[in-house]
Structure formats: structure tokens, C-alpha cells
């Protein structure tokens, strides 16, 4: 049983949830309210697809919500129970990516995820129903209750065969016939090959090839012996030739050695003569003493140089300190004092300007203005008080009746009028005086604010110019110190330049002495090599005599040996050997080709013998396939018969409960002219076709009976039925009959029915849960769900 369906961003459903029970469950609403979408979600949740998607009327992206708001993902969840176990299937769709996640759970236990195909296969295993069976036997698409009757003649058997998978037997039978025809063609082809081949002639040709091969093998043995003998001669000549060439190589080597030794002898003699010329009669001790004298002199010069550099360093530090002091005086002290003095002078000028405009004592003038302003404020306050009191008296006069409240005298109208006029005149006079004083006060306020600002500035300026004389005095002293520092630095710089000249002269003298010292040291080190060179010269003279003896000995061994002639004879032998090897190679290749040809012809003989056996085997297979093809054809007939018997038995059981009238007593699915036809039997025992004869109500109930029978026969374990807009082309009476049938009779055969309709009259058929679906499609609203109480 389906217990719950949840849709999130699926078509027009933003976040919808439906609970279902056994019996007739209904979704009622106008066209476009999202009813059929719920059943599409049911099919998609269970099997990952639904009819509109299979037929490619819509793409999966079309079922992701795009109104009232564009969404990128949609989600469907279906809960169901089988054999008292609760299962939940959830699938997620992403725009442009298809189904990206699927899962199935048994209670809280995850059975599989996220692979869509594996989840679908597990659902089919649990329900024992695949999508094809669900969509044809259980799910009646929108306005397709009579789907079977709308199929044209010739298509009904094809579609039902497909539903029963009988079409697979037909495919197997066609494949068997096709295979049998291929075997026949193969047999005929092999027979043709055998008939076209003269096997006697073929065997004779093989014998001739065998004789040729024997002769060629004998020739190959003779040539191989010749090549082997030549290889032996080649090795002997190669050894002798190598020995002579090595002697010739040694002779050349010793000649080169002689030249090299003679050159080394001359080189050593030249070195010894050069050193003796440079010494000019001096001994090694004389040179060593000269080197020590130069070292001592260089040390003394370096000491003087160090002293000069220390003086240079001190003067450089003094100049740096003087420069730093001068820069400090110039950039920090003097510039700051000049800037401060300049600012104070500017401020003093502004203070003098204020004195010029307001006198030497602007503060006294400000206090005078303030006192005059306070007097005006007091006058205004007194007048405002007087005005208020006068207005109060006037108000009381207006309220007086016969007598004066003060003197108790009689108050006539004339006297009252006079009093009122007197007070009005007084009020007018006071108000006039107040206006005059307020104008005067406003002018006085402006004047006071102006002088107050001036006084504040004057006070500030007076503070700012304090210490001006002291700053000018400090600046004068700093300028004297600055001038003195400049002169001191110039003296230091003059002394530094002189020391730099001294240092440069010292460095040049040190460099000259060091070069002389190095030349003597080099000469001293080279004199130590003279003895070695003389020993080397003695050895070389001995070596040149040995080399000359070796050359004489080798020349004796090479006497009467013609290397050129021997090399020519060797080349001729190699050429002849190559010629025989080429003949051997060609003979081997020909031998191989003939052996291959002989093998090929022998294989042809074997193939023909094998083909004869194969023809016998193919004839047996062809006969077996003919038997198999007949068996498959008979199986199809028997399966159709069994299916029709089961459907007709089920319809005969449910018809009396579905159809409340007595004009048609039974219903049957029969075969006429090679196709299925749905028929009703009347009270006269006559069979009439539902298609074209029955009324709308009779047709609907007949199609409902067929649907139920298909569901019970093909999926007896589920006992589900989905009817999407089953009232298509039905009048009011037919709709009422269908509602009554669904409400009172169908529950005997089907445990759970899903009814999708816009007909409110079918609400009477509901025995489970009823939902009304609403949606303002023109406003692009999402679906709203109402559950009547």
C-alpha cells in the first residue's frame, strides 16, 4: 500500500505532502491544478520514470519548478508497505543534470544509494512489478481508462504480448528462423567449396612439393659446409692480420713517443738556461735575503699607512659630526625658530589691527555692551509681565456683570466699555513698546556677539605672541654658532684632503715593493725546480734510447710482411663467403616458402575433410532449429490462451459486483481475426463488442473491469489501481454509475485506488483520503492542498 507521497519543487508543487490509506483515495481539482503531477511523482519515485517522460513529451528539467520561482532541484519521496514492512524511496533531480541522487530505506535502514538504476531494481524486486507492467496494468494515464479500446486493430495483441513478454518468444522464434537460414547458407557455401575442389589433383601437387623440398634440403647442407670452411679460414687470416696491424700500431706509437721525449728534453734545457740567466750569478741565499728586506720595508710602510688611515677616520668622524650639527642647527633649530617667529609676528599684526579698530581695551567695551544688553532684557521682561497682567484684567472685565469686584460700586455698560477700551489701549501701547525694544535687543545681540568674537581672538593672540623677543634672541645666537661650525668643518676637510694624498702615495709605494717582492719569490721558487729539471733531463735521455731500441726491434718483425696483400686476400675471402651466405639465405627462404605452400595445401585437404563433417553437423542443427521454432510458436499460442482464460475468469468473478444492471450478464476478452476484442454477453446469450455498441457508462465499467483483471492477473500481490481522469467522454449518469461502482463494489477486488479527477461528483466514491487541489495558473501560483474535514 502507498502510504505517503512528498513533492518538493516538483512542477507546480512547492512543498506538498499526501497521506493515503486503503480504499478509494482521490485528488480533485480543475485542469492545471497539479493532480496528475502527483501520480507522475508516484511513478517517478518508484521507477525513476513516468509515461510523459518515456514518451519524450516532456524532459525531466520541465518537472523542476520554474514558477512562481525558478528552482534548481526537485525532490520526490514515496512511502509504501509490502508484507508488513515499511519502505521509503527518495529521488533528487538537478537542472541540467537529471537524477543525481536516489535512495531506498526499509524503516531507518538504508538499503541502497545513490545509484538510480540499483534503487529502481530493488523497488522492482520488492514490488515484483517493473515499470512496464505498472504503467500498463496498474496506472491508467489521463483520459486513458479505455486505452485498450482506443488501440487500432492489430495493435492490441502486439501491446498485450509486449506486456506479457510474449513478444520475447516471438523475437526468439524470429531469431531461430534467422539463425536457421544462416546455417543453411553456410551449409550451401561449404558444399559449393567442396564441389569446386579437385582433391586428387591437390594431393598429387602436395607429393611433388615434398620431392622438391628433399632436393633443396640436400643443396642447403652442401652450401652450409662450404660456408663453415670459409668461416674457419676467415678466423685464421683475421688473427694473422690483427697481429701485423697491432705491430704496425705499436711502431707508430713508439715513433710518437720518441718525438714527445725529444720535445720534453728541449723544454727542460730551455727552462734551466732561463733560470740561470735570471740569477745573474746570485745564489738562492742572496735572493732570500732580498725578499726579507722587501718584506721589512713593506711592513714599515703599512704601519705609516695605518696611522694615516686612523687620522683619516678621525677627521671623517669630526666632519660627519660637524655636518650633523650644522644640519641640525639649520633644519631643526633655526628653521623652527624662524617659523615660530614668523607665526608670532603674523599674530601680532592681527592683534594690532584689533587695537586699531576697538582701542587698547576691547574687553571693557565688550562689558559695556553686555550691561546695555542686560538692561534691555530686564525692560522686556518687565513689559511682558505688565502685558500679561493687563490681558488678565481685560479678560476679567469681560466676565464682570453688575458690580465692580473691588469697590462693589455699580458697573454700568458704559463704564465697562470704557474700562475695556482703556486696557486695550494700554495693551496696544505695551506691545508697541515691546516690539521697539526687541528690535533694539536684536541689534544689540549682533553687536555683542561681534565684539565677543573679537575679544576672544584678542585674548588668544595676546597669549600666542608671548616670548617673541626671547625667540628672536635665540635665533641670533644660533646663527653665530652655525657660522662657527661651518668654518670648523672647512678646516677639517682641508686636513682630510691632504691625508688622502699621503695615503694614495703610500699605497703606490707599497704596491711597487710588493710586486718586486713577488717577482723575487717567484724566481726563488723556480730555482728550486732546477735540480728537478736536471734529474728529469737525465731520465729523458735514458728514455729516448729505449724508444729507439723498440722501433728497431719492431721493424725487424715487419720485414718481408706485405700487409696490403694480406688485407686484399682477406677481403676476397669475406666477399666469397658473403656470396655463399646469400645463396644459403635465398635457398632457406625458398625452402620455407615451399614448406609453407605444402602446409597450406595440406590444410586445404584437412579443411575439405572437416567441411564434409561440418555439413553433416549443420544438417542436424537445422533440423533441431525447425523443431525449436515450432515449439516457440506453440508456446506463444498457449501463453495467450492461459492469459485470456485468467483474465476472463477474473472478469467473470468481478463483473456481477461491478455492473449493477441485468442487461449484460458477463464480459469476456476474445480473439477475432488475429487480434483481441472486448465483448459483453446480453440476456439473449449474444456477444456484442464493447467498442462501438456499449454506452459511455457501460464502456467505462467494462474498461474498469478489464483494468482490474489485468492488475489482478499480472500483479496480484499489489492490488493497486491508478485512474487518471476516468470520466473522459462520460455523461452525468455514466459518471454517477462509475462513482457508485468505485465506492461500493471495487473494494472487493482492489485494496487501494488512486482517483484523479476534476469531477466533484466522483467525491462520493472516496472511501480513503480526499484532497482538493487549487491553483491560480494565470498568476503562476504554486499548488495549494485542501483536505476536507
Amino acid at each position: 500500500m502507498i502510504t505517503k507521497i512528498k513533492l518538493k519543487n516538483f512542477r507546480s508543487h512547492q512543498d506538498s505532502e499526501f497521506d493515503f490509506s486503503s480504499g478509494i483515495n482521490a485528488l480533485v481539482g480543475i485542469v492545471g491544478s497539479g493532480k496528475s503531477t502527483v501520480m507522475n511523482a508516484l511513478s517517478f519515485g518508484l521507477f525513476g520514470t513516468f509515461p510523459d517522460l518515456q514518451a519524450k513529451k516532456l524532459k525531466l528539467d520541465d518537472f523542476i519548478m520554474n514558477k512562481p520561482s525558478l528552482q534548481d532541484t526537485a525532490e520526490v519521496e514515496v512511502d509504501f508497505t509490502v508484507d508488513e514492512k515499511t519502505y521509503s524511496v527518495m529521488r533528487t533531480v538537478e537542472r541540467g543534470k537529471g537524477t543525481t541522487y536516489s535512495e531506498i530505506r526499509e524503516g531507518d535502514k538504508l538499503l541502497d544509494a545513490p545509484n538510480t538504476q540499483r534503487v529502481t531494481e530493488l523497488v522492482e524486486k520488492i514490488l515484483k512489478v517493473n515499470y512496464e507492467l505498472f504503467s500498463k496494468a496498474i496506472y491508467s494515464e489521463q483520459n486513458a481508462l479505455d486505452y485498450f479500446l482506443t488501440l487500432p486493430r492489430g495493435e492490441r495483441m502486439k501491446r498485450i504480448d509486449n506486456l506479457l513478454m510474449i513478444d520475447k518468444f516471438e523475437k526468439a522464434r524470429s531469431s531461430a528462423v534467422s539463425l536457421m537460414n544462416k546455417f543453411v547458407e553456410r551449409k550451401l557455401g561449404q558444399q559449393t567449396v567442396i564441389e569446386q575442389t579437385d582433391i586428387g589433383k591437390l594431393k598429387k601437387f602436395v607429393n611433388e612439393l615434398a620431392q622438391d623440398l628433399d632436393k633443396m634440403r640436400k643443396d642447403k647442407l652442401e652450401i652450409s659446409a662450404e660456408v663453415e670452411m670459409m668461416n674457419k679460414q676467415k678466423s685464421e687470416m683475421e688473427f694473422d692480420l690483427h697481429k701485423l696491424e697491432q705491430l704496425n700500431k705499436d711502431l707508430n706509437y713508439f715513433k710518437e713517443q720518441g718525438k714527445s721525449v725529444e720535445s720534453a728534453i728541449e723544454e727542460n734545457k730551455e727552462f734551466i738556461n732561463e733560470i740561470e740567466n735570471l740569477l745573474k750569478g746570485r745564489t738562492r741565499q742572496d735572493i732570500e735575503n732580498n725578499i726579507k728586506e722587501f718584506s721589512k720595508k713593506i711592513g714599515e710602510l703599512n704601519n705609516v699607512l695605518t696611522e694615516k688611515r686612523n687620522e683619516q677616520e678621525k677627521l671623517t668622524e669630526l666632519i660627519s659630526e660637524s655636518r650633523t650639527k650644522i644640519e641640525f642647527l639649520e633644519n631643526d633649530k633655526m628653521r623652527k625658530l624662524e617659523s615660530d617667529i614668523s607665526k608670532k609676528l603674523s599674530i601680532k599684526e592681527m592683534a594690532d589691527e584689533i587695537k586699531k579698530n576697538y582701542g587698547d581695551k576691547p574687553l571693557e567695551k565688550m562689558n559695556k555692551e553686555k550691561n546695555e544688553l542686560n538692561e534691555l532684557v530686564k525692560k522686556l521682561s518687565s513689559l511682558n509681565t505688565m502685558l500679561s497682567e493687563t490681558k488678565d484684567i481685560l479678560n476679567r472685565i469681560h466676565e464682570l456683570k453688575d458690580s465692580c469686584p473691588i469697590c462693589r460700586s455699580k458697573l454700568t455698560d458704559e463704564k465697562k466699555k470704557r474700562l475695556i477700551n482703556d486696557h486695550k489701549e494700554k495693551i496696544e501701547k505695551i506691545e508697541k513698546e515691546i516690539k521697539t525694544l526687541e528690535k533694539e535687543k536684536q541689534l544689540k545681540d549682533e553687536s555683542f556677539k561681534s565684539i565677543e568674537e573679537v575679544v576672544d581672538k584678542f585674548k588668544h593672540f595676546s597669549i600666542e605672541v608671548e616670548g617673541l623677543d626671547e625667540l628672536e634672541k635665540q635665533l641670533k645666537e644660533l646663527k653665530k654658532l652655525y657660522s662657527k661650525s661651518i668654518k670648523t668643518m672647512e678646516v677639517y676637510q682641508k686636513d682630510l684632503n691632504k691625508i688622502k694624498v699621503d695615503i694614495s702615495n703610500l699605497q703606490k709605494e707599497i704596491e711597487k715593493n710588493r710586486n718586486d717582492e713577488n717577482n723575487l719569490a717567484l724566481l726563488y721558487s723556480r730555482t728550486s725546480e732546477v735540480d728537478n729539471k736536471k734529474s728529469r733531463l737525465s731520465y729523458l735521455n735514458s728514455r729516448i734510447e729505449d724508444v729507439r731500441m723498440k722501433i728497431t726491434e719492431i721493424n725487424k718483425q715487419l720485414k718481408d710482411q706485405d700487409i696490403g696483400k694480406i688485407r686484399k686476400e682477406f677481403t676476397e675471402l669475406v666477399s666469397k663467403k658473403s656470396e655463399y651466405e646469400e645463396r644459403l639465405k635465398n635457398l632457406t627462404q625458398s625452402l620455407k616458402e615451399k614448406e609453407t605452400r605444402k602446409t597450406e595445401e595440406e590444410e586445404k585437404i584437412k579443411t575439405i575433410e572437416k567441411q564434409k563433417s561440418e555439413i553433416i553437423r549443420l544438417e542436424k542443427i537445422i533440423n533441431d532449429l525447425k523443431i525449436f521454432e515450432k515449439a516457440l510458436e506453440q508456446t506463444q499460442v498457449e501463453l495467450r490462451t492461459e492469459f485470456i482464460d485468467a483474465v476472463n475468469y477474473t472478469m467473470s468473478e468481478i463483473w456481477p459486483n461491478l455492473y449493477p444492471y441485468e442487461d449484460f450478464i458477463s464480459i469476456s476478452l476474445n480473439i477475432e481475426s488475429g487480434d483481441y476484442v472486448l465483448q459483453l454477453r446480453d440476456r439473449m446469450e449474444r456477444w456484442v463488442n464493447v467498442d462501438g455498441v456499449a454506452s459511455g457508462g457501460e464502456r467505462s465499467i467494462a474498461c474498469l473491469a478489464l483494468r482490474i483483471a489485468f492488475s489482478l492477473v499480472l500483479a496480484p500481490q499489489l492490488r493497486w489501481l491508478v485512474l487518471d481522469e476516468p470520466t473522459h467522454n462520460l455523461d452525468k449518469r455514466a459518471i454517477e454509475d462509475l462513482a457508485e461502482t468505485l465506492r461500493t463494489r471495487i473494494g472487493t477486488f482492489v485494496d487501494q485506488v488512486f482517483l484523479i479527477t476534476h469531477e466533484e461528483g466522483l467525491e462520493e466514491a472516496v472511501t480513503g483520503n480526499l484532497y482538493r487541489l487549487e491553483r491560480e495558473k494565470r498568476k503562476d501560483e504554486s499548488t495549494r492542498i485542501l483536505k476536507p474535514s
Side-chain angles (χ1 to χ4, degrees), residues 9 131 464 485 494 623 645 651 665 715 760:
N9 300 329
Y131 169 75
E464 289 291 325
S485 298
K494 185 178 179 181
N623 289 331
D645 290 345
M651 287 197 297
I665 60 176
E760 293 183 359

Side-chain angles (χ1 to χ4, degrees), residues 322-338:
S322 298
R323 186 175 286 112
T324 302
K325 185 176 180 181
I326 290 165
E327 288 176 354
F328 174 73
L329 289 171
E330 183 179 11
N331 296 329
D332 290 353
K333 289 282 186 180
M334 291 173 62
R335 284 189 184 177
K336 187 175 185 305
L337 281 172
E338 287 171 350

Side-chain angles (χ1 to χ4, degrees), residues 49-244:
T49 188
F50 45 89
D52 285 344
L53 194 61
Q54 285 289 101
K56 297 184 180 179
K57 294 178 182 177
L58 295 169
K59 295 181 291 185
L60 201 51
D61 277 5
D62 297 330
F63 280 81
I64 301 175
M65 176 177 280
N66 56 24
K67 295 177 182 179
S69 61
L70 182 67
Q71 301 294 330
D72 292 323
T73 61
E75 191 175 289
V76 170
E77 184 177 339
V78 178
D79 296 352
F80 62 93
T81 59
V82 175
D83 297 333
E84 299 182 354
K85 292 180 181 179
T86 302
Y87 298 92
S88 175
V89 185
M90 191 272 284
R91 299 183 193 264
T92 301
V93 181
E94 292 186 37
R95 192 175 298 279
K97 298 181 181 179
T99 306
T100 56
Y101 181 82
S102 299
E103 71 171 35
I104 180 170
R105 295 178 180 270
E106 181 184 334
D108 294 330
K109 179 184 176 184
L110 181 66
L111 298 181
D112 207 334
N115 186 274
T116 297
Q117 183 60 34
R118 288 204 303 271
V119 170
T120 301
E121 289 171 357
L122 197 51
V123 170
E124 291 175 347
K125 183 179 179 182
I126 292 167
L127 296 179
K128 300 176 183 176
V129 169
N130 60 18
Y131 169 75
E132 191 67 26
L133 188 57
F134 174 83
S135 63
K136 296 298 185 291
I138 296 171
Y139 185 9
S140 170
E141 294 181 54
Q142 193 175 57
N143 303 325
L145 179 62
D146 58 350
Y147 167 78
F148 175 78
L149 297 182
T150 61
L151 292 173
R153 288 295 184 93
E155 276 295 308
R156 297 174 185 174
M157 182 172 288
K158 182 179 177 181
R159 295 293 177 88
I160 291 176
D161 279 359
N162 181 261
L163 188 64
L164 295 172
M165 292 185 285
I166 294 174
D167 60 322
K168 293 183 179 179
F169 288 94
E170 177 57 26
K171 288 177 183 176
R173 190 193 67 80
S174 298
S175 297
V177 172
S178 176
L179 185 60
M180 182 172 60
N181 290 335
K182 288 179 181 178
F183 281 137
V184 169
E185 289 176 6
R186 186 172 169 185
K187 173 193 162 188
L188 292 173
Q190 290 179 350
Q191 284 178 336
T192 302
V193 171
I194 291 170
E195 290 170 359
Q196 291 176 352
T197 304
D198 187 344
I199 194 165
K201 186 176 180 182
L202 197 60
K203 287 180 178 179
K204 182 181 178 182
F205 180 64
V206 169
N207 289 331
E208 291 173 353
L209 284 173
Q211 292 173 5
D212 291 343
L213 284 168
D214 289 340
K215 183 178 183 304
M216 291 172 74
R217 290 189 187 103
K218 184 179 178 182
D219 293 342
K220 181 181 177 183
L221 287 172
E222 291 175 356
I223 295 172
S224 296
E226 287 288 333
V227 169
E228 188 176 351
M229 185 181 70
M230 289 179 190
N231 278 330
K232 187 176 180 180
Q233 290 177 350
K234 175 176 171 288
S235 298
E236 291 173 353
M237 289 184 73
E238 205 167 24
F239 176 79
D240 294 340
L241 185 62
H242 175 73
K243 184 177 178 181
L244 289 172

